Amino acid sequence: MKPLDWIVLIFTLLVIILYGIYKSRTSRNLDGYFLSNRDMPWYIILLSIMGTQASAITFISAPGQAYTDGMRFVQYYFGLPLAAIVICISFVPVFHKLKVYTAYEFLETRFNVKTRALTSFLFLLQRGLSTGISIFAPSIILSILLDWNIYLTNLFMGGLLIIYTVTGGAKSVAYTQQLQFVIIMSAMLLAGYFVVKNLPQNIGLKEAITVGGKLGKFNVITTGIENGKFNWGDKYNIFSGILGSFFLMLSYFGTDQSQVGRYLTAKTIRESRLGLLLNGIVKIPMQFFILLLGVLVLAFYQFNNAPAFFNQHETARLENSAYKNEFHSLQKQLSDIDAQKQTILKEYAQTKSVALLTEVNQLQKSTESIRSSVKELVKKNGGKDNDTNYIFLKFVVDYLPTGLVGLIIAVIFLASWGSIAAALNSLASSTIVDFHKRFFKKIEGDEDDYRFSKLYTFLWGIFCIGVAMFVSQWGNSLIEVVNILGSLFYGTILGIFLVAFYAKKVRGNTVFIAAVIAEIVVIALFFLNEYKIISLGFLWLNAVGALLVYFLSESLNVFAKKYKVIDY
Amino acid sequence: MMQYKEPGEKPSPFKSWTAWYVFVAAFLIVEIIIFYFLTKMFS
């Protein structure tokens, strides 16, 4: 990075921290600290919800995902608007009416303390771990790309935001998320502008999309049907996108305290609902745009030489290994193919004849085959063979103007901070409300509540940085790891809430047993899929978990009543 | 559909929340249709 990039980066981060501290004045009690005195307007709720969901991983991984797998990932968000509607109808009014601090408090009113504690525990477990990954994921990429120390990067990624999150609680989180989101979207739009600007003369946005489309990456809608049969193992298609993701989103927005905590800060039910519904409207186009960046970067690399592998740390290791000559030979083949592509594309730029792109597509298949061989070499050399997360940032560092590189790096910090801050706030609120105050009751008075809330926010911050420091390498694209982790628990948590809302006759002990069984089944299915015994895309785990809890609860309820085996 | 309203709650920009829900669902359907045609057009 050049000095101007450093100035932009440091200035942007300082602005956010100072703004967070400036906005930190709030009442010194639980209502003020965790719910910002319930006085937020809908547009802050909207930006806060979006800022919480979109982590750095969203911005780093998504363009790389589109580069390698196409745009079909956007289907993952199709369930969101439908989930938002259900939450607005059933969840929001109840949470507001009961004036709860956490979603899990409601479960004690409806069932019993055991069910509340189990659900809150599952939340703390998965949110604590995934927040650690949310710190580690962007840190490892930045540390490799910019040659920064991973431990210091982790510390900056997860540590600086603690200053304003601990000081100002939910109010600081919401206001900084608002500013962060404006900066992030402006920077991503600028990046999109420069990708198109860097394309050769006569090639604009439409031609770039045409090139990406002919290379099979503009596959926004896919059915998952192969040879007349639906492939249950296919991760992203319209069916898993609408059905599987509906359950995931319902669980995430309806039962995950990091999101529930955002819309509980709303002035009224109307403000909560507007924030949720507008998020349902704008999220898909936003994600479409971020994925489109990946297709545009792919189109850009058809006109310019693409790296054989985007993780330069691994290529540097190959250069110093026994595979050096093999690697050079593959690089030579790749640059020959690039030259052929560029000759054809020069003609395309003049004639706009789409038929020429068929030849480019053939050559791209050879490119992909060579890239696979390079990945094999990386693997043989003991390295990590997935470079999806490095694609967009490598492009940014190599081709974007000075200053904008610093801003994009700042975006990674800001996007991380937005979701991590909300997570820390929610982890602390669940710990204090669902466990500390519920079981230990040693806290007396508002001032004690306030002090303990700050302490738990700080401790969760330390815990998540600790997780980030110890997380080892992951096999999949990082965005998927976080989603998969969520899918292991979200289904069960959602199932408990669905029973609470819609199965009026089911009582606490029944749903508790059903939830434990469902969680075991979900984890078993996950491992069966991992060991290739069955084929099941992870999005389906949400539906399985939720439906299993619901139907097991209903069945057990009938059984328990008949034989009186469960104490009511 | 449950239409819970808080005392003194301001009316939503649409006449009822049901209209909002229909709008959001319709927006999703339109998006999917547009994406479908974009996929066909550029693939």
Side-chain angles (χ1 to χ4, degrees):
Chain A
M1 286 214 306
K2 301 208 169 98
L4 180 63
D5 292 316
W6 278 104
I7 292 169
V8 170
L9 172 64
I10 293 168
F11 176 76
T12 316
L13 299 189
L14 267 179
V15 164
I16 292 294
I17 295 169
L18 293 176
Y19 186 65
I21 295 171
Y22 169 69
K23 284 285 179 188
S24 67
R25 210 172 299 156
T26 186
S27 318
R28 294 165 77 89
N29 54 30
L30 280 189
D31 239 42
Y33 193 77
F34 288 127
L35 299 176
S36 189
N37 293 316
R38 304 182 201 252
D39 65 352
M40 291 291 180
W42 64 265
Y43 52 89
I44 299 271
I45 302 293
L46 167 67
L47 290 172
S48 198
I49 287 172
M50 295 186 83
T52 302
Q53 190 183 16
S55 67
I57 297 167
T58 312
F59 298 103
I60 299 171
S61 281
Q65 184 102 10
Y67 186 101
T68 53
D69 189 45
M71 292 191 61
R72 67 194 187 116
F73 180 67
V74 78
Q75 298 169 112
Y76 169 78
Y77 295 95
F78 284 175
L80 196 158
L82 303 175
I85 293 171
V86 174
I87 292 163
C88 287
I89 294 170
S90 295
F91 291 54
V92 174
V94 174
F95 291 157
H96 270 273
K97 199 177 169 186
L98 295 177
K99 293 211 173 298
V100 291
Y101 289 97
T102 74
Y104 319 112
E105 250 182 295
F106 156 69
L107 294 177
E108 185 170 353
T109 318
R110 171 67 180 83
F111 297 125
N112 52 30
V113 65
K114 208 162 48 174
T115 311
R116 170 186 178 179
L118 171 74
T119 318
S120 185
F121 172 75
L122 287 178
F123 161 73
L124 290 176
L125 181 70
Q126 73 93 4
R127 184 50 58 203
L129 291 175
S130 61
T131 304
I133 295 171
S134 300
I135 295 171
F136 165 79
S139 298
I140 185 75
I141 297 162
L142 285 184
S143 76
I144 286 173
L145 205 72
L146 302 170
D147 206 18
W148 293 353
N149 177 292
I150 177 64
Y151 294 105
L152 275 179
T153 317
N154 268 336
L155 209 58
F156 278 112
M157 191 67 76
L160 288 178
L161 81 151
I162 293 180
I163 299 170
Y164 66 80
T165 312
V166 168
T167 319
K171 192 180 171 197
S172 287
V173 172
Y175 276 101
T176 46
Q177 278 176 326
Q178 180 195 10
L179 185 59
Q180 284 160 353
F181 207 75
V182 172
I183 297 172
I184 290 167
M185 287 321 290
S186 311
M188 294 306 276
L189 281 169
L190 268 176
Y193 167 75
F194 277 102
V195 181
V196 178
K197 193 172 175 280
N198 281 343
L199 290 165
Q201 252 191 340
N202 295 332
I203 296 292
L205 180 66
K206 190 184 162 212
E207 288 78 15
I209 295 176
T210 308
V211 171
K214 292 296 166 199
L215 299 182
K217 306 302 181 193
F218 206 79
N219 51 351
V220 193
I221 302 288
T222 56
T223 60
I225 296 170
E226 289 162 22
N227 307 321
K229 260 181 86 179
F230 182 70
N231 179 4
W232 288 92
D234 183 44
K235 280 179 195 158
Y236 308 114
N237 55 63
I238 191 162
F239 301 108
S240 72
I242 291 177
L243 284 173
S245 135
F246 168 75
F247 284 97
L248 175 66
M249 298 297 172
L250 196 57
S251 190
Y252 178 55
F253 288 99
T255 74
D256 188 311
Q257 182 60 23
S258 66
Q259 280 296 355
V260 176
R262 298 315 103 215
Y263 57 79
L264 281 181
T265 60
K267 239 186 269 182
T268 59
I269 287 180
R270 173 183 178 269
E271 311 292 317
S272 288
R273 280 176 168 161
L274 280 180
L276 278 162
L277 291 173
L278 289 171
N279 179 49
I281 290 174
V282 298
K283 179 72 185 173
I284 295 172
M286 184 194 99
Q287 210 60 43
F288 176 86
F289 162 71
I290 294 169
L291 287 162
L292 185 63
L293 277 183
V295 174
L296 295 178
V297 169
L298 175 79
F300 170 85
Y301 277 124
Q302 303 307 307
F303 296 93
N304 300 275
N305 287 5
F309 195 72
F310 285 88
N311 181 344
Q312 65 199 31
H313 172 72
E314 296 298 348
T315 50
R317 284 184 69 237
L318 276 180
E319 289 286 358
N320 295 310
S321 73
Y323 305 106
K324 183 180 164 185
N325 292 337
E326 229 176 303
F327 178 51
H328 283 176
S329 152
L330 289 169
Q331 276 184 314
K332 171 82 178 56
Q333 288 176 44
L334 201 61
S335 84
D336 288 346
I337 293 173
D338 280 345
Q340 288 179 58
K341 276 192 214 167
Q342 284 156 22
T343 311
I344 300 168
L345 284 168
K346 257 186 199 163
E347 204 184 325
Y348 170 71
Q350 299 303 322
T351 61
K352 305 277 158 48
S353 161
V354 179
L356 290 166
L357 298 179
T358 316
E359 286 177 62
V360 179
N361 190 23
Q362 286 305 320
L363 289 167
Q364 178 64 12
K365 281 180 184 151
S366 309
T367 300
E368 280 169 12
S369 155
I370 294 168
R371 261 175 57 78
S372 299
S373 306
V374 174
K375 285 179 184 179
E376 282 295 313
L377 281 189
V378 170
K379 207 173 175 180
K380 273 198 245 172
N381 197 34
K384 195 184 164 197
D385 63 347
N386 189 341
D387 63 345
T388 308
N389 301 307
Y390 296 84
I391 294 171
F392 180 60
L393 280 183
K394 179 88 177 102
F395 168 81
V396 166
V397 172
D398 289 348
Y399 292 100
L400 290 197
T402 315
L404 189 54
V405 176
L407 190 63
I408 297 284
I409 303 298
V411 160
I412 295 165
F413 276 93
L414 300 191
S416 291
W417 289 3
S419 51
I420 298 164
L424 295 185
N425 188 257
S426 64
L427 287 165
S429 66
S430 291
T431 311
I432 200 157
V433 175
D434 296 324
F435 291 98
H436 197 132
K437 274 174 81 75
R438 179 65 185 78
F439 295 106
F440 303 113
K441 292 180 183 167
K442 282 178 188 163
I443 301 173
E444 282 175 13
D446 285 348
E447 191 59 34
D448 262 4
D449 279 347
Y450 180 70
R451 272 194 309 117
F452 271 97
S453 303
K454 284 173 89 166
L455 177 69
Y456 276 120
T457 310
F458 179 74
L459 291 177
W460 272 111
I462 301 295
F463 172 83
C464 293
I465 294 173
V467 171
M469 297 289 193
F470 286 102
V471 167
S472 58
Q473 289 192 334
W474 295 83
N476 296 322
S477 163
L478 294 169
I479 195 167
E480 286 182 12
V481 174
V482 174
N483 291 332
I484 291 169
L485 196 63
S487 295
L488 280 184
F489 301 102
Y490 274 152
T492 306
I493 296 178
L494 175 63
I496 296 171
F497 275 88
L498 290 181
V499 172
F501 286 119
Y502 303 116
K504 303 283 183 200
K505 288 179 185 168
V506 175
R507 299 298 173 91
N509 284 341
T510 319
V511 78
F512 183 83
I513 295 167
V516 172
I517 296 172
E519 190 53 51
I520 293 168
V521 173
V522 167
I523 291 173
L525 285 174
F526 171 75
F527 281 108
L528 287 172
N529 184 63
E530 282 295 291
Y531 289 103
K532 316 249 182 267
I533 298 166
I534 60 166
S535 176
L536 191 70
F538 74 90
L539 274 178
W540 295 111
L541 293 176
N542 298 286
V544 170
L547 294 175
L548 208 57
V549 174
Y550 192 89
F551 290 111
L552 271 176
S553 298
E554 290 277 25
S555 316
L556 279 172
N557 198 47
V558 174
F559 178 79
K561 269 186 178 169
K562 194 171 175 186
Y563 297 102
K564 295 189 170 45
V565 286
I566 298 173
D567 181 24
Y568 279 85
Chain B
M1 274 181 208
M2 194 159 125
Q3 290 290 313
Y4 181 84
K5 257 191 161 187
E6 254 185 355
E9 187 188 342
K10 280 187 233 166
S12 75
F14 283 149
K15 276 186 181 171
S16 73
W17 285 108
T18 311
W20 261 105
Y21 305 147
V22 172
F23 173 72
V24 173
F27 193 84
L28 173 69
I29 294 167
V30 171
E31 270 175 328
I32 292 175
I33 293 170
I34 292 172
F35 287 157
Y36 175 78
F37 283 109
L38 282 175
T39 305
K40 286 273 164 209
M41 197 192 301
F42 286 104
S43 294

